[in-house]
């Protein structure tokens, strides 16, 4: 019944799709491409040449740039991606751009409708100015992220989804805590160590040290001394990915997310839940949208507050957590959300610059994306 | 006779126009805006809000970003500039973009003809890919710069021009050498010290230490020890601008440019010549186009070679150097060159993407820009 769409998915050139390890945007693009392809759409993915995707791939650079050590300005390579996209734009019914701020540029100049997902935080100094007279089709990955710009007529909020399988329930769960992230001040790694010491539970840290001078300094001057001071209670096991990371979650009593960085989504949270492992976190960013307090975990405002609730995790229903997160944040749910938005921007208007808030532009028969918040939609329709 | 043109000049948002000190692109934009305005054109300048220009100014950011300490990614703010430009593009007969690689994006999406000047080096990793199927109106500031991409149909090579006045000849010239630049390995500051020691002439260094960690490390670990080792022979006098810099040149026997960075142009060279001060340099980048060997100075391949020719500077005709450079590299000459190219891209075609190499697109009556090299033009016409 539904028409087969010609869809361009546009990823940044910095990590491959799917990424080897770190790279939330590219993981989500990977899931979306595979699910859209499975549903019969004609998907063309603009991504680094070492990406592995079903359907057609248009290499924007021969190899992903970050793993090769590129740490320079993003502009030339983002522009290269845009240039390759625009050269073929007319071949698509819809373009789905994941280029962060450059999304807006793509949306403003594309001859075909553009759906744009922002994957990072939006409360940045240039945001208000770039979002003046915003183009149609802008999508946030959480209400928290969207709320930074209430005047933007969001086409929807589509929570990220992953193919969550969790781990075999045969995995033996111990009393220890888990931390997965990067070794940076905003991810709260030192706070995680402090929580472990307060509750006297072992903590295993799977984390990556960043390449910048500031990150290296933090690693040497702050993280390592805190790790040493904690003695045998805390173990640093380097960077993990995929199955190893799931094993860590599955073997842990709870996962700590004590960072102060307002996660626009928080993939670590759903990965932990998919292993049946509750999360203890700060109530910031999108985490209150993902974690149902008293079901999936608990919130605390600081180290003392989070340490205080760690023991309550004992009573949570781990099977329910796992079963429900697989449904709540599946790749299929996410793809449902995006498909509905694609059909709306295509059906509503072929004209560039049409606003999704235009009452005449919407296709009333199009299903509302499953993860589109009513509140945000109502705001957009004003 | 000549029609008054509505011209947009588009500067990056990182330094104001004119810049307080460092900022070659912004100095050239300043000269061009003032001369075009003087000639009666309607000039609109897109630049940081603290810029001071005749005609209309469209602030792209409230204040220039670098002096305020911004060292982040260029993309969001360059995009803001492009967005503000495109919102008004239809008001202009021609857009002159100085946004480096983003020039190509502007030229590809603008509804009106775009002339683009590159101010930096073009032999960069992403260059070939971004210059595939190049848009019309691309201008290089030297043949050396253009030669990195022989397949590009350059609309012309227009040497930079400044309002060169030199300094009063009453200034007393001494036996010392001058170095003006930045404290980075590629500018050859340590080589300048070594040359001074070999020829036993005093050297005064007017230079700025960069803000990056690598630049600070070079300052501390390489420059300061070399300075100290040279004793009283070498004096470091910090960053100079305008009249103070001219005084330094005017008081010096010769200026040293021993850097290994291939200057796409080399404003320091013409500023020195405008004070009647010959230049001793490496034969790299655009310097052989600017410095006439045996008239304006001498070339040497390394420290020994440059030290060897320093004494020959004595015989050069300093009055001739000053008089001729003011004519050869005047703002008026540069503006003549750009005006001719503006009229050609406007007259040739209103269509986006028209190639300046298209024999039907050119206005045969338009004057050839005075600084357009025959060689480059011939290549472009192939």
């Amino acid at each position: 019944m539904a028409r087969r769409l010609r869809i361009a998915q546009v990823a940044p050139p910095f990590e491959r799709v799917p990424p080897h390890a770190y790279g939330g945007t590219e993981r989500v693009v990977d899931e979306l491409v595979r699910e859209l392809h499975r549903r019969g759409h004609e998907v063309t993915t603009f991504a680094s040449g070492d990406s592995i995707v079903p359907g057609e791939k248009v290499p924007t650079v021969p190899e992903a740039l970050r793993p090769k050590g590129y740490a320079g300005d993003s502009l030339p390579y983002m522009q290269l991606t845009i240039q390759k996209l625009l050269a073929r734009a007319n071949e698509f019914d819809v373009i789905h751009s994941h280029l962060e701020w450059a999304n807006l540029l793509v949306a403003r100049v594309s001859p075909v409708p553009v759906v744009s997902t922002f994957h990072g935080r939006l409360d940045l100094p240039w945001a208000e100015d770039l979002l003046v007279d915003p183009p149609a089709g802008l999508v946030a990955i959480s209400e928290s992220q969207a709320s930074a710009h209430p005047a933007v007529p969001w086409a929807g909020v589509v929570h990220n989804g992953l193919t969550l399988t969790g781990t075999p329930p045969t995995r033996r769960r111990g009393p220890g805590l888990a931390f997965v992230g990067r070794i940076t001040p905003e991810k709260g790694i030192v706070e995680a160590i402090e929580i472990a010491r307060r509750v006297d539970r072992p903590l295993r840290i799977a984390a990556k040290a960043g390449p910048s001078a500031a990150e290296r300094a933090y690693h040497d001057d702050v993280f390592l001394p805190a790790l040493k001071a904690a003695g045998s209670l805390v173990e640093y096991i380097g960077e993990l990915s995929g199955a190893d990371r799931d094993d860590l979650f599955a073997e842990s009593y709870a996962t700590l997310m004590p960072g102060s960085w307002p996660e626009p989504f928080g993939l670590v949270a759903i990965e932990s839940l998919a292993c049946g492992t509750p999360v203890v976190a700060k109530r910031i960013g999108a985490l209150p949208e993902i974690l149902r307090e008293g079901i999936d975990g608990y919130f605390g405002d600081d180290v003392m507050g989070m340490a205080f609730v760690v023991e309550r995790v004992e009573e949570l229903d781990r099977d329910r957590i796992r079963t429900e997160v697989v449904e709540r944040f599946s790749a299929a749910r996410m793809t449902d959300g995006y498909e509905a938005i694609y059909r709306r921007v295509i059906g509503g208007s072929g004209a560039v610059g049409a606003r999704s808030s235009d009452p005449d532009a919407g296709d009333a028969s199009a299903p509302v994306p499953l993860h589109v918040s009513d509140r945000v939609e109502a705001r957009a329709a004003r």
Side-chain angles (χ1 to χ4, degrees), chain A:
Chain A
M1 178 69 208
R3 182 160 72 89
R4 185 171 190 247
L5 299 177
R6 297 169 303 163
I7 303 169
Q9 292 288 336
V10 190
F14 304 109
E15 301 284 351
R16 57 161 241 185
V17 176
H20 283 295
Y22 186 74
T25 300
E26 292 76 12
R27 290 182 65 193
V28 169
V29 172
D30 169 64
E31 295 276 3
L32 189 56
V33 167
R34 285 192 284 116
E35 182 63 17
L36 289 168
H37 182 263
R38 208 187 56 75
R39 294 180 184 194
H41 296 296
E42 190 180 322
V43 185
T44 303
T45 305
F46 292 76
S48 67
D50 51 353
S51 296
I52 298 165
V53 292
E56 190 188 353
K57 176 176 71 180
V58 178
T60 53
V61 292
E63 267 181 90
L65 297 167
R66 289 266 156 72
K68 283 177 62 190
Y70 184 75
D73 202 60
S74 76
L75 194 145
Y77 288 111
M78 288 292 253
Q79 188 177 329
L80 189 55
T81 296
I82 295 171
Q83 200 165 300
K84 296 203 175 192
L85 170 67
L86 291 180
R88 296 192 47 185
N90 281 308
E91 300 174 26
F92 308 111
D93 297 312
V94 63
I95 291 167
H96 189 168
S97 174
H98 301 267
L99 302 181
E100 216 52 25
W101 296 99
N103 283 340
L104 296 167
L105 193 61
V106 171
R108 287 178 206 281
V109 304
S110 167
V112 304
V114 175
V115 171
S116 300
T117 297
F118 290 95
H119 292 268
R121 63 190 295 176
L122 299 183
D123 50 349
L124 294 170
W126 51 77
E128 294 283 359
D129 286 335
L130 280 180
L131 284 166
V132 166
D133 191 21
L138 305 188
V139 176
I141 58 173
S142 66
E143 288 191 54
S144 164
Q145 187 199 35
S147 70
H149 299 283
V152 166
W154 294 101
V157 171
V158 181
H159 280 145
N160 285 338
L162 297 178
T163 304
L164 296 166
T165 52
T167 46
T170 56
R171 206 83 206 175
R172 183 189 172 86
R173 196 178 297 276
L177 304 168
F179 176 96
V180 172
R182 275 173 299 130
I183 302 174
T184 59
E186 64 270 20
K187 287 283 184 179
I189 197 164
V190 168
E191 289 78 359
I193 294 172
E194 181 60 24
I195 292 168
R197 296 180 72 175
R198 283 180 183 247
V199 301
D200 198 27
R201 283 179 182 269
L203 167 66
R204 281 188 292 173
I205 295 174
K208 180 185 183 175
S212 78
E215 287 168 313
R216 282 199 311 271
Y218 181 79
H219 174 274
D220 294 346
D221 303 340
V222 182
F223 171 62
L224 287 186
L227 183 65
K228 192 172 172 209
S232 63
L233 193 67
V234 181
E235 186 186 3
Y236 174 47
I237 54 180
E239 191 182 13
L240 298 184
S241 61
D244 292 336
R245 190 182 48 216
D246 282 346
D247 283 349
L248 170 63
F249 287 133
E251 291 167 4
S252 297
Y253 167 81
T255 295
L256 301 179
M257 293 185 75
S260 57
W261 193 75
E263 302 274 0
F265 184 76
L267 290 174
V268 167
I270 66 173
E271 287 167 343
S272 175
L273 298 181
C275 300
T277 307
V279 177
V280 172
K282 279 205 183 126
R283 194 181 274 101
I284 57 173
L287 294 178
E289 295 171 57
I290 298 173
L291 301 171
R292 301 164 300 179
E293 184 148 38
I295 299 174
D296 298 314
Y298 289 97
F299 292 107
D301 288 336
D302 61 2
V303 164
M304 193 178 291
M306 286 181 277
F308 182 74
V309 295
V310 163
E311 297 311 320
R312 295 196 185 162
V313 165
E314 189 67 47
E315 74 217 34
L316 299 177
D317 180 346
R318 290 160 188 274
D319 287 335
R320 178 184 173 193
I321 289 172
R322 184 169 52 220
T323 310
E324 292 185 356
V325 78
V326 168
E327 165 61 17
R328 292 166 66 214
F329 297 100
S330 67
R333 277 280 172 114
M334 171 175 73
T335 308
D336 289 345
Y338 281 121
E339 264 195 285
I341 294 176
Y342 298 161
R343 295 195 188 279
R344 209 164 47 194
V345 298
I346 296 168
S349 167
V352 179
R355 301 281 283 267
S356 64
S357 58
D358 180 348
D360 298 331
D363 175 359
S365 68
V368 173
L370 291 170
H371 279 89
V372 172
S373 134
D374 289 342
R375 187 172 66 77
V376 171
E377 280 294 279
R379 195 168 55 208
R382 272 207 303 271

